[in-house]
Amino acid sequence: MNGFMKKGRMASLWACCALTCTLFSSCETTQHNTLTEAEKAEGWQLLFDGQTMDGWRDYNGTTLTEPWHVVDGCIQAKGTGSDGSGYIVTEKQYENFELSWDWKLTKGGNSGMLYHVVERPQYKVPYVTGPEYQLLDVPNFEGELEEWQKLGVDYAMHLPDPAKMKVNPFGQWNNSKIVFDNGHVEHWLNGEKIVEFEAWTEDWHARKNSGKWANAPEYGLAKKGVLCLQDHGDPASFRNIKVKELPRKTQEVTLFNGTDLTGWEAYGTELWYVKDGLLYCESGPDKKYGYLATRNYYDEYDLSVEFKQEADGNSGVFIRSFIEEGVKVNGWQVEVAPKNHDTGGIYESYGRGWLVQIPDEKETILKEGDWNTLRIKVQGNNVTTWLNGEEMVNLNDEKIGAGQGRIALQIHDGGGIKVAWRNLQVKTL
């Protein structure tokens, strides 16, 4: 009897072990870093093949030298990065998308996923342009934390709903998702939507200009950019990184409301003001360069604006431009100038200079002391300008095609300038 019971228990134990081994084996052989046929049909793309670092490179670089490698089918940060280093980015830029990934942190670990990151020599770190979904082992993090620094936040901007924070502890896998759909933003964590907001609204700009990003003029404005993973000094693992691109929506925007400068930001000491429903730029006592730039980026569009040169009309309309330190707008200028000075031509500031000037016979199209209509179409590598219905230039340029940024009005240095503007309308493409 006892011997029979012993044999029965042994058989049960072996059966249990066999089942455990089977479960363990099936867990170990779960196919990660793959797409189902349904996902492929929906347009999902893998950003990590599970074996190599193909498709990733250093931020502001051309190859991968930062401390990242592949370990057991995961992209892993070695944990030797810092605030100023350790960032890797995708080869491709993304505009509107749904992005999903699995992540696992070490005890007290700190990392992040950034998007719409802009690469330029002027930006030493990606977070001055790209918003970040913060990844952090909050319970074991050493040091004090503000709420806007914790797991799941839109870093230094929007906080998650604490009631929906269902997070697995360090050493275990979690899933996160970012949805960016033409300015509508969602953060998800383990199947729960924890953050939702609209980018580029009055509330969004108020948050940007009053907090950590007050001195980062281009933060969060880009409509497209690379995705970025952060090594912030702690090992972190990522797998099943996949993205589905969403379509761009067009819109028609009135840039000037005829009442005030809402939607614009002034740079420099020259004068920008509204009078009798018109927008004026006028030289101030410093007689230096001045700019009035849209708060938001516009990249692909058809712009129409009317201007009248009431005094020396040396001005211009900048396209795909960004603000550097001080009073410096970096980008491409469609010239607005006195007669015989190439109104409608295209000039590259702080770079190649004149890209294309207008033919001499077209100088007579400008109406001095009267209203003129300037139209600018910017799409991909192409910029076409018209003055009073006449085509002035048609330029294809790869460098312009790679740019993105604001629309900005300029007042030239030297003094004595006064130009009126009205009917600033843009249709995005």
Side-chain angles (χ1 to χ4, degrees):
M1 182 74 171
N2 289 339
F4 176 80
M5 290 294 294
K6 185 179 291 187
K7 288 180 181 179
R9 283 196 294 269
M10 287 296 293
S12 297
L13 180 60
W14 280 110
C16 195
C17 287
L19 178 61
T20 301
C21 288
T22 300
L23 290 173
F24 182 76
S25 175
S26 80
C27 180
E28 285 297 298
T29 58
T30 298
Q31 291 296 307
H32 293 291
N33 307 304
T34 60
L35 295 176
T36 66
E37 292 304 316
E39 287 175 324
K40 292 177 183 178
E42 291 174 1
W44 286 93
Q45 297 176 328
L46 279 177
L47 297 179
F48 171 55
D49 63 13
Q51 300 177 3
T52 71
M53 295 294 296
D54 291 351
W56 295 85
R57 56 176 172 76
D58 295 355
Y59 170 69
N60 269 340
T62 57
T63 60
L64 184 67
T65 64
E66 294 289 1
W68 290 76
H69 57 170
V70 178
V71 178
D72 296 331
C74 307
I75 288 182
Q76 188 175 94
K78 294 182 179 179
T80 58
S82 65
D83 183 74
S85 66
Y87 301 96
I88 60 171
V89 300
T90 55
E91 293 284 354
K92 183 178 176 180
Q93 293 186 339
Y94 296 91
E95 184 173 355
N96 300 292
F97 57 84
E98 187 172 336
L99 171 68
S100 175
W101 72 98
D102 296 340
W103 54 273
K104 180 171 64 173
L105 300 179
T106 51
K107 187 174 182 180
N110 184 359
S111 186
M113 175 73 80
L114 294 83
Y115 62 92
H116 288 177
V117 168
V118 178
E119 295 179 286
R120 293 186 180 119
Q122 293 89 346
Y123 305 142
K124 304 305 180 186
V125 289
Y127 58 76
V128 297
T129 60
E132 178 182 356
Y133 183 125
Q134 170 78 321
L135 302 175
L136 190 72
D137 178 27
V138 175
N140 299 292
F141 184 77
E142 295 183 1
E144 296 184 4
L145 288 170
E146 301 286 349
E147 290 300 316
W148 50 264
Q149 295 176 299
K150 294 183 178 179
L151 173 66
V153 299
D154 173 40
Y155 196 83
M157 290 287 284
H158 296 87
L159 305 182
D161 181 348
K164 296 182 177 180
M165 296 293 290
K166 299 177 181 179
V167 58
N168 298 320
F170 75 91
Q172 297 184 25
W173 288 101
N174 292 272
N175 175 264
S176 286
K177 182 171 70 173
I178 299 171
V179 177
F180 191 97
D181 187 359
N182 292 274
H184 177 78
V185 187
E186 299 174 4
H187 285 192
W188 291 71
L189 176 64
N190 293 327
E192 293 282 349
K193 182 165 59 177
I194 59 173
V195 173
E196 185 172 19
F197 64 92
E198 300 296 324
W200 313 314
T201 62
E202 289 295 324
D203 173 74
W204 186 93
H205 280 285
R207 292 169 185 258
K208 170 186 179 295
N209 293 330
S210 63
K212 181 179 177 65
W213 312 120
N215 295 316
E218 305 303 300
Y219 166 82
L221 298 181
K223 299 290 179 68
K224 62 184 177 181
V226 292
L227 306 175
C228 175
L229 286 174
Q230 179 189 52
D231 181 338
H232 207 285
D234 300 287
S237 298
F238 300 86
R239 70 184 185 192
N240 298 329
I241 310 171
K242 57 187 178 182
V243 65
K244 179 175 70 173
E245 296 187 76
L246 304 175
R248 179 194 303 156
K249 298 174 183 177
T250 62
Q251 58 178 329
E252 296 185 10
V253 181
T254 298
L255 296 180
F256 172 53
N257 62 18
T259 303
D260 56 33
L261 299 181
T262 297
W264 297 83
E265 295 175 340
Y267 296 88
T269 58
E270 306 310 290
L271 307 178
W272 299 92
Y273 59 93
V274 179
K275 182 179 179 181
D276 299 329
L278 303 178
L279 171 59
Y280 282 92
C281 64
E282 187 174 359
S283 296
D286 293 338
K287 301 179 181 179
K288 295 183 178 181
Y289 283 102
Y291 302 92
L292 187 71
T294 57
R295 290 190 309 187
N296 294 336
Y297 276 22
Y298 295 92
D299 296 330
E300 309 270 318
Y301 57 85
D302 197 330
L303 168 69
S304 178
V305 55
E306 296 178 47
F307 67 89
K308 181 169 67 172
Q309 299 160 312
E310 296 194 358
D312 182 351
N314 199 341
S315 183
V317 180
F318 275 73
I319 60 172
R320 291 183 179 171
S321 301
F322 64 97
I323 310 300
E324 294 193 55
E325 288 187 17
V327 185
K328 186 176 180 181
V329 174
N330 195 316
W332 298 274
Q333 176 189 3
V334 176
E335 185 74 13
V336 173
K339 189 166 286 187
N340 300 318
H341 287 82
D342 295 290
T343 293
I346 300 174
Y347 185 90
E348 183 178 276
S349 294
Y350 309 107
R352 295 171 290 173
W354 280 109
L355 300 184
V356 57
Q357 295 173 272
I358 69 170
D360 290 343
E361 62 270 20
K362 292 188 176 183
E363 289 287 357
T364 58
I365 296 172
L366 178 69
K367 295 183 286 188
E368 294 181 296
D370 200 354
W371 287 101
N372 296 269
T373 299
L374 177 65
R375 180 185 168 201
I376 305 168
K377 185 177 180 182
V378 185
Q379 192 166 28
N381 293 350
N382 182 260
V383 182
T384 308
T385 70
W386 295 263
L387 182 63
N388 298 324
E390 297 286 339
E391 183 176 303
M392 306 304 280
V393 301
N394 189 318
L395 172 68
N396 284 290
D397 185 84
E398 290 186 1
K399 192 172 179 181
I400 292 178
Q404 60 173 320
R406 309 173 188 233
I407 296 170
L409 305 179
Q410 182 207 56
I411 185 167
H412 207 278
D413 67 351
I417 298 170
K418 185 177 182 181
V419 180
W421 309 82
R422 69 183 184 188
N423 296 331
L424 288 89
Q425 305 286 338
V426 64
K427 179 179 180 180
T428 62
L429 302 173

